[in-house]
Amino acid sequence: MKKIFALVVIILFSVFSIYPVLYVLTVSLRTDQAFQANQLNFFGDNTGFQNFTRLITETDFLIWFRNSVLVSGTSTILGVTMAATAAYALSRYSFKAKRWILFSLLTTQMFPATMLMLPFFIILAKLQLINSFMGLFIIYASTALPFCIWQMKAYYDTLPIDLEEAALLDGCSKWQVFYKIILPISSPALVITGLFSFMAAWSEYMIAAIVLQDPALYTLPLGLKSFQASLATQWGLYAAAALIVSIPVVLLFFMLSRYLISGLTVGSVKG
Amino acid sequence: MIFQMKKIIYLLIFSFSFSFAKESPTKPVQIQIWHQMIYSHREVLARAITTFENSNPGVKIRATYRETEELRSAFQSAAMGGSGPHLIYGPSDQVGPFAAMGLISPLENELPTEFWNQFDSLAVPVYQDHRYIVGDTVGNHLMLIYNRKIVKNPPATIAELIAQAKQYTIDSDKDSKINQWGLVFNFTEPFFFVPWINAFGEGFLKNQIEPNLNTTATQAAFTFIQDLKIKHKVIPPECDYEMANSLFKEGRAAFIINGDWSWGDYKEAKIDFGIAPLPQNEVTKLWPAPLVGTKGYSLNANITDSEEKKITLKVLQFLTSEQVQTLFLAEVGTLPSNLNLRSQAGVKNNAQLTASAQVMLYGQAMPMVPEVRAVWDSLRKHYQAVLGGQELPVTASEAAQLDAIKQISNMNNVTQPGLQAKLISGLLIVILILLSFFLLRRFPEFIRALRAQPLYWAMLLPSLLIIFLIVVYPFFYNILISISNFGLRTFKDWQIIGLQNYVEVFSDFQFYSVLLKTIIWTVTNVATHVAIGLALAIFIDQLLPFKGLWRVLLIIPWAIPQYITALTWRGLFNQEYGPINHFLQTWFQLPAVQWLSQPFTTFFACFITNVWLGFPFMMVVALGGLQSIPQSLYEAAKIDGANEWQRFKLITWPLLLPVMIPAALLGFIWTFNNLNVVWLVSNSGEPADQTHILVSYVYKSAFNLYRYGYAAALSLIIFILLMAYGFWFVHKKSLKEKTSI
């Protein structure tokens, strides 16, 4: 009885979570570039895969895709490396300003992002990083950093300190302890942190729009937006692209869902 | 002094910055153009550019597309940072703001008289004695477009329009859902509304600049649209641009009111359409006056190098030349601005262009002054309130007028620095000195710590430095702006003025009502996220088979970019064709809800969207927490005879709390600051600006109304509120014991 109830609830919520995606799918299959669909209609008169083929053959979709992979991948590696090390220091080393640093990391999440656009632009212009991936690497890695550090620190905090003490007694250096012992057993948290940074970079639009001005450097969200004109959006192309954009992330989630559960312990239990 | 302070801060920040090798001078000159041409036009532009590049080997042109609003804000940021494209292409109404900010250069002395003489005067408008734009096309105006399959003779008068629209509004299967509409258009948007005001008397502006909304004409026009919706029932009660367009493209609407830009779209959808003027008011004998403007190129004021400027002007002349206009005419059928071309066969024999040129005769020139934005904005607010039934036409026209005047004065009012400014900047300098003094005193201690634990510091410092650069610097920059008079009229020479912006925020009643809405919004959202996430996690973890399957299905909303889902949900909530109403009607026999035109239901729609986006995160966090609870605890409890509820209350809940609380705190911050959902689902605060939360309110005042100083003050207030909340939350004793924050 309980199980049936649970099953019904779960099925309802699964429908709830999938339906909008199916809706996007029908829009992508329509050939008239319109957005409103009467109902979920997969096999109407004007449905077909034209939008998908047009996307690949007529637009720069593949270039955007490559750029996005490059930008998100690099910022993720950069961000995770920095977060993993900084968080370890914050977890194992206690010093006066530590509480203060931790709290200010949290506060960086509190500032309305839209107001950061103009200063971002000015910094990047002064550093001559406009129109280069380097600018994006730095911004993406650093805006994701506070959350990643928090996340990693919470995970390190759950690891028993005895392990490291034993290794130190065996003659390992501190760096060796971190690199050879702590890092490998932290892989669930590393994977999750990476996934977060990747997702944030993958779908980020506003910063990319001010940094990248050359269409050859466009990332996917920028490319997608170019189908959108204020009164003449190419909805079919937009929806088709949106689905393809979502696939890698869904796949990543799918492959990593094992880690997802064990790695995500936002500020978990003490000791 | 203030300028110096800015400089000092820059120096502080950039003293450790690094510079890159300059580009070598032998590279070809690159001219950048930012434009907002729609999809089909971009291809023509690309061809024109190739032609130019082939005959001018030393020059490369790079054209970048930006959506209209995007183009505006991106150009503003870029030009402020001292760079930006050489040329910017857009509608003439952006000329006023750009000229006021000093971002574009006057062109009249840069180009010869013969050049200017070849254009229709509409294409080269004069703004405050200068010419800032050269248009390659004229029009951009609304007209009545009809489906020839349905309509034989277009109406000449408003009465005829209503009669025909009634005739063509058909519910063929008698299910009380209309299958074909008489008239569709984006009627909630002022741009589609103001032409009608002229048909009932005077126009919406006086002398091209002052708002003229408190008139009987405005009131009559309000009533006219309301009647179309409620009395005659010939337009869909909820109809945004996308919906109107879809209906017409599917052949399910007899008439649509739309602009010349939409023709290509309808051709592609194989609709046989005709064009007519918006019909005359048979009582007043007046015609609706659609706004007629131009689209064209303007020169970035940052281009000062004479060689660069010469080439840029050459490109500009080429792109507006007869040759290129001929190409556009042939490929996408735009009405050329070149007079010579206008008299040639290509235009004269084109039925659509002649009809469209006919419609233009009734039009009014698109105003260019920046103040118009304030007029649009206040009109939108009160007009939508009339449509939603919250205001009467008489009171709304008066209120719209007062609002417009107030907003214009906010926009143009420049507070000059006084004594307070000196005090505040003095105070800032003192704080900076004290801070550096404090840091310097701590420096030896820091060095000692560094010596003691070099590894830890090496691990920590790179992150701290980069966060400082990217996150902390903008923060201080914002503090400066928030005490300055940075706005439309002071774009390039803003000064510190003191706390006026803060005073203004706190003395505005709307701030408190938006704050209240934001708090309600955040609390209900986070509570729902946590409740659903927790319930699903427990069901999946403890009761069901195929755990992996459910997990993946339920995580999907999290994995899809937010801006896509927000727009999708807007479609789902559509009154007429959205699946949600369809579902309510067929399964529960409920009447269709106008979700997106009432403040409360719009808020509810945003809420559902955000629940959809937010519950997977909480679910995953809860699943993680559940896994760390040892199974043995449950077994022990079972032996002790604890029932299901007791086991939840005594084991699951307390052990999950430490995981859920920080997640809830983060969720709280994210939801509080989530611009995407509210902005996109409610179409930037519609109806009538009643669905704002604080961040969307900030966004609007900064980018729509050019009030940067005010917006910065508001965002600092948001920040301080959240920080205080976070501080209180983290320091609550009971929580401190349970979590490690």
Side-chain angles (χ1 to χ4, degrees):
Chain A
M1 188 58 211
K2 252 173 2 209
K3 284 200 174 170
I4 292 173
F5 174 72
L7 195 67
V8 169
V9 172
I10 292 281
I11 289 175
L12 277 180
F13 268 93
S14 302
V15 172
F16 177 60
S17 78
I18 283 179
Y19 190 87
V21 183
L22 293 180
Y23 188 80
V24 178
L25 182 63
T26 47
V27 176
S28 74
L29 293 174
R30 288 177 68 144
T31 51
D32 58 359
Q33 306 294 341
F35 184 63
Q36 306 291 346
N38 207 353
Q39 56 263 89
L40 285 187
N41 188 353
F42 295 101
F43 310 102
D45 302 334
N46 47 5
T47 55
F49 288 96
Q50 284 93 323
N51 286 317
F52 289 90
T53 46
R54 256 184 83 191
L55 193 66
I56 306 291
T57 53
E58 286 176 32
T59 71
D60 289 337
F61 187 79
L62 294 175
I63 297 177
W64 302 333
F65 200 90
R66 188 203 63 196
N67 291 343
S68 263
V69 169
L70 185 69
V71 168
S72 311
T74 316
S75 342
T76 304
I77 292 170
L78 206 65
V80 170
T81 314
M82 289 200 294
T85 49
Y88 184 70
L90 283 172
S91 169
R92 291 300 189 256
Y93 172 40
S94 46
F95 54 101
K96 259 188 182 169
K98 177 169 140 175
R99 254 187 102 76
W100 187 83
I101 289 180
L102 275 175
F103 186 68
S104 37
L105 284 181
L106 181 67
T107 60
T108 57
Q109 305 286 304
M110 297 174 179
F111 205 72
T114 43
M115 290 310 293
L116 301 178
M117 295 297 117
L118 194 61
F120 274 163
F121 189 88
I122 294 172
I123 296 182
L124 291 174
K126 303 246 173 200
L127 296 176
Q128 305 208 5
L129 290 177
I130 294 297
N131 226 346
S132 79
F133 285 153
M134 186 60 108
L136 280 189
F137 295 159
I138 292 178
I139 288 202
Y140 286 167
S142 57
T143 45
L145 255 184
F147 178 77
C148 294
I149 292 179
W150 244 54
Q151 179 62 34
M152 288 304 300
K153 181 198 172 264
Y155 192 86
Y156 292 140
D157 282 349
T158 64
L159 301 176
I161 199 117
D162 321 358
L163 209 63
E164 286 148 271
E165 278 164 2
L168 281 175
L169 282 181
D170 287 348
C172 286
S173 73
K174 270 186 193 161
W175 173 253
Q176 281 172 326
V177 170
F178 170 69
Y179 188 72
K180 291 206 169 131
I181 297 173
I182 300 299
L183 220 46
I185 56 173
S186 304
S187 53
L190 286 172
V191 165
I192 294 315
T193 313
L195 184 64
F196 265 96
S197 322
F198 188 86
M199 257 178 64
W202 186 255
S203 61
E204 202 289 324
Y205 169 72
M206 284 204 281
I207 297 168
I210 58 167
V211 175
L212 302 177
Q213 293 164 4
D214 182 352
L217 296 179
Y218 272 16
T219 54
L220 280 171
L222 279 181
L224 232 76
K225 262 291 232 218
S226 72
F227 298 133
Q228 214 181 352
S230 41
L231 296 176
T233 297
Q234 302 276 312
W235 285 113
L237 283 180
Y238 185 83
L243 283 179
I244 302 185
V245 170
S246 309
I247 288 172
V249 186
V250 175
L251 276 183
L252 271 180
F253 262 94
F254 189 77
M255 290 186 304
L256 303 177
S257 66
R258 187 160 58 90
Y259 291 100
L260 197 57
I261 310 301
S262 51
L264 192 79
T265 52
V266 197
S268 70
V269 202
K270 242 185 194 169
Chain B
M1 180 173 76
I2 288 129
F3 179 60
Q4 270 179 343
M5 225 181 68
K6 265 198 268 177
K7 234 178 172 174
I8 290 170
I9 291 176
Y10 282 146
L11 280 176
L12 275 176
I13 305 296
F14 295 112
S15 50
F16 53 86
S17 73
F18 38 94
S19 70
F20 286 77
K22 289 267 185 292
E23 289 175 8
S24 62
T26 46
K27 259 180 108 179
V29 186
Q30 197 179 53
I31 302 295
Q32 287 191 47
I33 303 174
W34 287 4
H35 64 85
Q36 44 87 267
M37 291 189 191
I38 60 171
Y39 204 70
S40 51
H41 292 209
R42 280 176 235 167
E43 287 161 21
V44 187
L45 179 69
R47 277 170 55 191
I49 287 175
T50 316
T51 316
F52 185 88
E53 285 175 342
N54 288 341
S55 50
N56 297 273
V59 183
K60 282 260 165 269
I61 301 179
R62 205 160 66 187
T64 304
Y65 165 78
R66 292 266 149 86
E67 194 271 322
T68 313
E69 284 301 304
E70 218 22 77
L71 182 74
R72 226 167 43 82
S73 54
F75 182 68
Q76 277 167 29
S77 315
M80 227 200 103
S83 62
H86 296 75
L87 292 172
I88 175 162
Y89 177 91
S92 49
D93 52 336
Q94 69 190 15
V95 165
F98 287 164
M101 295 178 198
L103 304 182
I104 51 178
S105 302
L107 292 166
E108 66 276 1
N109 297 326
E110 308 284 350
L111 295 161
T113 324
E114 312 90 79
F115 173 77
W116 295 104
N117 286 343
Q118 55 177 332
F119 295 104
D120 180 344
S121 61
L122 274 172
V124 285
V126 174
Y127 174 74
Q128 297 187 339
D129 304 327
H130 294 295
R131 284 184 162 152
Y132 287 100
I133 187 171
V134 186
D136 64 346
T137 172
V138 175
N140 215 21
H141 54 290
L142 294 175
M143 58 199 81
L144 189 67
I145 301 176
Y146 56 96
N147 187 334
R148 283 185 200 274
K149 260 194 198 150
I150 305 172
V151 180
K152 295 291 164 268
N153 292 309
T157 65
I158 287 182
E160 276 176 50
L161 173 69
I162 293 172
Q164 289 198 16
K166 271 186 180 161
Q167 182 192 343
Y168 300 130
T169 302
I170 298 166
D171 175 13
S172 54
D173 49 9
K174 304 282 175 233
D175 62 350
S176 73
K177 266 184 87 174
I178 306 293
N179 301 82
Q180 176 185 301
W181 285 99
L183 175 64
V184 293
F185 69 113
N186 185 17
F187 63 88
T188 55
E189 187 53 41
F191 180 76
F192 289 76
F193 167 71
V194 291
W196 299 102
I197 301 179
N198 291 63
F200 294 93
E202 43 199 328
F204 77 112
L205 286 183
K206 232 188 293 180
N207 311 325
Q208 282 277 306
I209 179 162
E210 293 158 48
N212 184 33
L213 297 170
N214 192 13
T215 61
T216 48
T218 312
Q219 292 157 13
F222 280 155
T223 314
F224 166 64
I225 303 284
Q226 217 179 9
D227 281 352
L228 287 180
K229 179 179 156 184
I230 294 164
K231 193 165 137 204
H232 308 301
K233 295 189 172 43
V234 293
I235 51 176
E238 216 166 63
C239 184
D240 61 6
Y241 185 86
E242 296 305 339
M243 178 175 170
N245 222 17
S246 300
L247 284 170
F248 192 75
K249 280 194 213 167
E250 288 176 348
R252 290 193 293 158
F255 297 103
I256 186 170
I257 295 171
N258 210 342
D260 46 8
W261 60 82
S262 62
W263 297 344
D265 227 14
Y266 301 149
K267 264 180 217 156
E268 206 178 313
K270 300 195 181 64
I271 296 288
D272 180 17
F273 65 95
I275 291 164
L278 300 179
Q280 186 189 26
N281 182 343
E282 63 285 351
V283 183
T284 58
K285 302 288 176 213
L286 293 168
W287 293 81
L291 294 158
V292 181
T294 184
K295 280 188 185 177
Y297 298 89
S298 301
L299 176 67
N300 186 340
N302 287 324
I303 308 299
T304 43
D305 178 77
S306 68
E307 189 55 28
E308 209 177 346
K309 197 171 184 176
K310 215 174 92 195
I311 299 172
T312 309
L313 289 171
K314 196 171 165 193
V315 174
L316 185 150
Q317 278 171 294
F318 174 76
L319 290 175
T320 52
S321 67
E322 197 176 328
Q323 183 192 354
V324 173
Q325 289 194 22
T326 314
L327 192 65
F328 269 95
L329 173 64
E331 295 295 322
V332 286
T334 51
L335 186 64
S337 63
N338 183 298
L339 292 170
N340 188 24
L341 194 57
R342 204 74 83 68
S343 58
Q344 284 171 15
V347 176
K348 286 208 157 159
N349 300 339
N350 185 323
Q352 273 160 4
L353 286 184
T354 19
S356 168
Q358 200 64 36
V359 177
M360 250 165 60
L361 295 179
Y362 300 111
Q364 54 185 326
M366 182 78 187
M368 288 188 291
V369 290
E371 285 85 352
V372 171
R373 236 187 146 80
V375 179
W376 289 133
D377 199 68
S378 47
L379 181 59
R380 182 182 293 114
K381 180 172 166 189
H382 294 283
Y383 170 50
Q384 288 177 354
V386 171
L387 291 174
Q390 294 116 16
E391 280 179 40
L392 291 172
V394 187
T395 48
S397 67
E398 193 185 345
Q401 174 76 8
L402 288 177
D403 255 17
I405 291 172
K406 190 177 143 213
Q407 281 193 24
I408 289 174
S409 90
N410 279 340
M411 210 182 231
N412 289 336
N413 205 356
V414 178
T415 315
Q416 290 306 328
L419 182 66
Q420 200 195 8
K422 291 206 177 96
L423 282 176
I424 291 282
S425 14
L427 195 68
L428 268 184
I429 291 173
V430 170
I431 291 175
L432 266 182
I433 292 172
L434 281 180
L435 201 68
S436 30
F437 185 68
F438 174 77
L439 288 178
L440 272 181
R441 256 193 39 180
R442 287 297 178 93
F443 197 67
E445 199 180 326
F446 170 69
I447 295 291
R448 247 176 286 138
L450 202 62
R451 286 234 179 93
Q453 298 287 357
L455 177 66
Y456 285 147
W457 284 103
M459 288 169 116
L460 192 53
L461 279 178
S463 297
L464 291 187
L465 279 179
I466 201 165
I467 291 176
F468 181 81
L469 176 69
I470 298 297
V471 185
V472 180
Y473 163 73
F475 175 72
F476 283 109
Y477 184 83
N478 251 283
I479 295 184
L480 272 192
I481 292 182
S482 77
I483 51 171
S484 78
N485 58 3
F486 192 9
L488 177 71
R489 304 283 168 192
T490 47
F491 204 77
K492 287 204 157 160
D493 49 1
W494 52 275
Q495 293 171 301
I496 289 181
I497 51 163
L499 298 174
Q500 271 92 333
N501 289 320
Y502 292 91
V503 174
E504 219 177 305
V505 172
F506 286 121
S507 57
D508 185 0
F509 172 73
Q510 211 185 346
F511 167 72
Y512 299 98
S513 81
V514 175
L515 175 63
L516 185 69
K517 271 181 207 165
T518 314
I519 291 174
I520 296 173
W521 155 260
T522 312
V523 171
T524 45
N525 261 302
V526 174
T528 318
H529 290 162
V530 171
I532 294 177
L534 199 61
L536 292 179
I538 291 173
F539 287 166
I540 291 178
D541 193 61
Q542 299 183 347
L543 293 172
L544 293 175
F546 315 118
K547 290 185 171 61
L549 171 75
W550 304 121
R551 226 157 49 190
V552 169
L553 283 181
L554 291 169
I555 276 175
I556 282 178
W558 191 9
I560 295 177
Q562 278 190 7
Y563 55 96
I564 295 169
T565 46
L567 285 173
T568 310
W569 275 95
R570 194 175 156 76
L572 297 181
F573 274 108
N574 184 281
Q575 191 246 348
E576 193 65 29
Y577 297 102
I580 290 173
N581 268 353
H582 191 74
F583 175 77
L584 291 179
Q585 283 170 310
T586 42
W587 288 75
F588 296 100
Q589 308 298 330
L590 290 169
V593 181
Q594 290 182 32
W595 292 103
L596 301 174
S597 51
Q598 301 293 332
F600 181 76
T601 47
T602 311
F603 230 72
F604 187 75
C606 296
F607 171 72
I608 296 284
T609 309
N610 204 43
V611 166
W612 187 80
L613 280 168
F615 80 84
F617 174 74
M618 295 297 172
M619 184 185 83
V620 169
V621 172
L623 275 172
L626 285 175
Q627 289 207 337
S628 66
I629 300 175
Q631 208 55 42
S632 54
L633 280 180
Y634 289 108
E635 277 151 24
K638 250 185 203 165
I639 294 168
D640 289 347
N643 65 25
E644 195 98 4
W645 171 245
Q646 282 168 327
R647 279 189 308 233
F648 173 78
K649 209 178 81 179
L650 297 172
I651 301 172
T652 317
W653 180 246
L655 286 178
L656 270 183
L657 262 187
V659 190
M660 295 311 287
I661 284 172
L665 177 62
L666 265 179
F668 189 92
I669 296 170
W670 286 338
T671 311
F672 199 93
N673 276 344
N674 190 337
L675 176 72
N676 278 352
V677 171
V678 174
W679 191 260
L680 294 174
V681 174
S682 74
N683 195 16
S684 47
E686 286 181 4
D689 276 335
Q690 287 171 12
T691 38
H692 279 300
I693 59 171
L694 280 172
V695 271
S696 62
Y697 190 61
V698 169
Y699 191 72
K700 204 188 128 165
S701 29
F703 291 101
N704 268 7
L705 302 170
Y706 314 104
R707 302 180 66 195
Y708 292 95
Y710 180 80
L714 197 52
S715 34
L716 269 174
I717 292 170
I718 295 179
F719 173 75
I720 289 166
L721 284 173
L722 277 176
M723 199 166 77
Y725 174 77
F727 202 72
W728 170 77
F729 198 96
V730 171
H731 282 84
K732 270 206 300 194
K733 240 196 149 166
S734 55
L735 295 176
K736 229 163 136 185
E737 284 156 12
K738 288 182 193 133
T739 64
S740 66
I741 334 168

